[in-house]
Structures are given as structure tokens and as C-alpha cells.
Amino acid sequence: MNIATTLYRSVLFVPAGEQRQLEKSSTIPADVLVFDLEDAVSPASKEQARKLLIDTLTATDFNHHQCVVRINGVSTPWFNDDMAALLELNDCAVMLPKFESIDDLIKLKQAQKGQNKQLFGLIETALGVLSIAELVKHLGADDLLCFGHVDFARDMGLVKADASSGAVYYARCQVALAAHAYRIPAIDNITLDVKDERIIRKGALEGMQLGFQGKLCIHPNQVSIVNEVYTPTASQVNRAREILEEWEHVKNQGRSVFTYENKMVDLPVVLAQKNLLARYAVITKNDDR
């Protein structure tokens, strides 16, 4: 997988037990929809929500959205039924919560019965963060890592789930680093505020600077802001094109370094600009649909 050209800018959670929200989600411009059978559904409603979700995903056109189901964890009494239902959906990936051990992967593989669904592994615990270097080695080329900072903060006994400081920030960095080390995408944590554009934008910008390819969202209001942050601007695109044009010129002169706007440009900078343009092309094609 090319993490520069596969779109995971906005990854929106949708409660699996809410008919209206399930149907409305097909009109929201998120790159990925995650239908949530875990935190968004009470224990008493798990079976009903699972059936509703399968019926809806079978009958509804989700307009080119990538669809994912967040199942209940491997140690819960709902895991096997969730996986059995998920196997009925050919084009739906799986998000595994509380992803923290190789045993989790083994149980997930056994439950898939030969299917090889794309995995969104959600790191949400101290053990998950400590195990991440080993976990990522066993992920497939199409799999992803995600970070759930609220559950991580709770697991750490923290009063406040602040993703920009302390142990939570450290764990956030570890997720991004591990994913890049093994060339798979990493998706940043949610922002709890669903109305303040400044706060939502700030969280998205922080994640992008840490190397994440997108952000988990919990409300449709967040999607357009996150998409904008993770989309190259017109000035960035123009700059990249100018740098690549000049790069071709200096290569023909036998040089491998030049200056652009008083800054040195060499091969790593050039490759970053190529990635930016490749990503922009995919975004443009996606948005045109």
C-alpha cells in the first residue's frame, strides 16, 4: 500500500444501532465510514444492532465510501457473532478495538475462516502501546494502525484525555512512528469537541505534523475540517510542481542539489513533493466522483 496515495483523511464513526444515522452516513463526505458495534451499542442491544447493520449494508449504496465495522473485542461474548456477521459482507474491513497482543491477531484470523479482511488495529491501552513494535510486524500491507486516546488515558488512570501532552502524546507518537517504520497508514485519535472549528482544526494539524494520514471523527461536523487539513493547498501544489520542474532542470546539468525560495532542495525533499502531488491527484479524483 502506498500511504501517500490511499485516502484515509476522515474516518467517521457511525453508531451501528441507529437506523437514521446509518442511512444518513452515505451522504457524508468522509473517506471511511466505521460502523460501530462496540462503544456505540449497549450490551442489551448488540444483537439487534448487528442485524440492523448487516441489513443496511446489504441494501444501501454507500457511494464509494470505504466501509469498516468496529466489532467487539476478542475477549467479549459478542466477538464471534460479530465476526460471523461480518463475513457476510465482502467489501467491509474490520476495526479491532483494544488491539494489544499477537493472540488478538490469531483469534481474529481464526474467526475469519479463510477470508483476509483489511484490519484497522485500534491501539487503546498501555499494553497495546508497549507491544506496538511487535504487533506492526505481523500486519499485512493493507492494514492500518489507529490510536484511541480516550481509552488509553483511562487505562493510564489519567483524569484528562489530552492528546497534545504527557503520556497520551507519547503514545500518539509511538503509533505514528511504528506505522511509518513498516510502511502502513496511521490514523490519529478523535477530537472530543464537535462544534469548535478551531479546536478540531488544531487537533487535525497536530496529527498531520506527527505523520498521520488521517483522523478519526465522531461527528459529521468534523469531517469537512479534517478533509481540508489533510488535503494539500493550491500553494503547496504549485510549489511542488515548481520544485519538480527545477529538479528535472538541475538533473540535466548533472547536479543533485539546488535552492528554492532560499532553502536547500535535494532528493528527500523532491520525493516528498512527488508524494504530495500523487496524494493530491487521488484526492481530486475521489472528490470528482
Side-chain angles (χ1 to χ4, degrees):
M1 174 176 291
N2 186 335
I3 63 175
T5 59
T6 305
L7 293 185
Y8 299 108
R9 295 171 299 176
S10 51
V11 180
L12 177 66
F13 285 108
V14 181
E18 301 290 339
Q19 179 76 59
R20 186 180 66 83
Q21 293 191 48
L22 286 174
E23 294 174 351
K24 180 182 178 181
S25 66
S26 66
T27 67
I28 298 171
D31 290 334
V32 182
L33 299 174
V34 180
F35 302 105
D36 188 8
L37 286 169
E38 192 209 19
D39 287 347
V41 180
S42 69
S45 302
K46 298 287 188 185
E47 183 176 353
Q48 179 182 355
R50 188 186 304 115
K51 183 179 185 307
L52 174 62
L53 176 60
I54 297 303
D55 290 345
T56 303
L57 288 175
T58 301
T60 304
D61 179 5
F62 280 91
N63 299 320
H64 306 292
H65 288 91
Q66 179 174 1
C67 294
V68 183
V69 174
R70 176 159 76 166
I71 61 172
N72 290 276
V74 297
S75 63
T76 70
W78 308 287
F79 170 73
N80 288 325
D81 288 339
D82 286 352
M83 285 304 302
L86 186 58
L87 295 182
E88 300 177 23
L89 305 170
N90 293 329
D91 299 323
C92 206
V94 56
M95 177 177 282
L96 183 64
K98 311 299 188 296
F99 180 39
E100 59 185 16
S101 74
I102 300 301
D103 284 345
D104 294 344
L105 281 176
I106 293 172
K107 292 176 182 177
L108 183 66
K109 184 175 181 179
Q110 291 172 341
Q112 291 191 67
K113 298 181 179 179
Q115 291 192 30
N116 188 25
K117 291 187 175 295
Q118 183 185 27
L119 170 63
F120 287 59
L122 187 55
I123 304 295
E124 300 181 275
T125 64
L127 180 57
V129 173
L130 286 177
S131 305
I132 194 169
E134 185 63 25
L135 294 174
V136 75
K137 294 177 184 178
H138 293 82
L139 295 182
D142 291 333
D143 295 336
L144 297 86
L145 281 181
C146 309
F147 181 48
H149 82 294
V150 176
D151 277 289
F152 176 79
R154 181 177 59 192
D155 192 45
M156 291 289 292
L158 303 176
V159 174
K160 186 177 181 181
D162 182 359
S164 63
S165 66
V168 182
Y169 183 75
Y170 169 83
R172 190 182 184 191
C173 293
Q174 293 306 301
V175 172
L177 285 168
H180 276 275
Y182 287 87
R183 302 299 299 164
I184 64 172
I187 309 302
D188 197 18
N189 51 259
I190 66 168
T191 292
L192 292 170
D193 194 298
V194 300
K195 291 186 177 181
D196 192 322
E197 179 177 344
R198 181 186 61 83
I199 294 174
I200 298 167
R201 186 176 298 276
K202 178 177 180 291
L205 285 167
E206 286 176 353
M208 185 174 65
Q209 289 300 314
L210 289 174
F212 286 96
Q213 279 71 56
K215 185 171 181 62
L216 300 173
C217 300
I218 54 173
H219 194 281
N221 289 345
Q222 299 174 331
V223 169
S224 61
I225 300 169
V226 170
N227 281 348
E228 180 184 340
V229 168
Y230 277 94
T231 299
T233 65
S235 62
Q236 288 173 326
V237 170
N238 290 335
R239 179 178 183 274
R241 288 170 175 164
E242 290 175 0
I243 288 174
L244 294 183
E245 182 178 349
E246 182 63 18
W247 173 250
E248 292 302 318
H249 177 67
V250 301
K251 277 200 309 180
N252 291 335
Q253 296 178 338
R255 295 187 290 129
S256 59
V257 178
F258 64 98
T259 59
Y260 177 86
E261 296 181 346
N262 299 319
K263 294 181 176 64
M264 186 191 78
V265 175
D266 58 3
L267 183 58
V269 176
V270 169
L271 293 177
Q273 305 314 307
K274 287 183 177 181
N275 282 341
L276 184 148
L277 291 179
R279 183 175 178 82
Y280 181 73
V282 174
I283 290 170
T284 301
K285 181 179 179 180
N286 181 77
D287 290 349
D288 286 344
R289 293 189 304 187

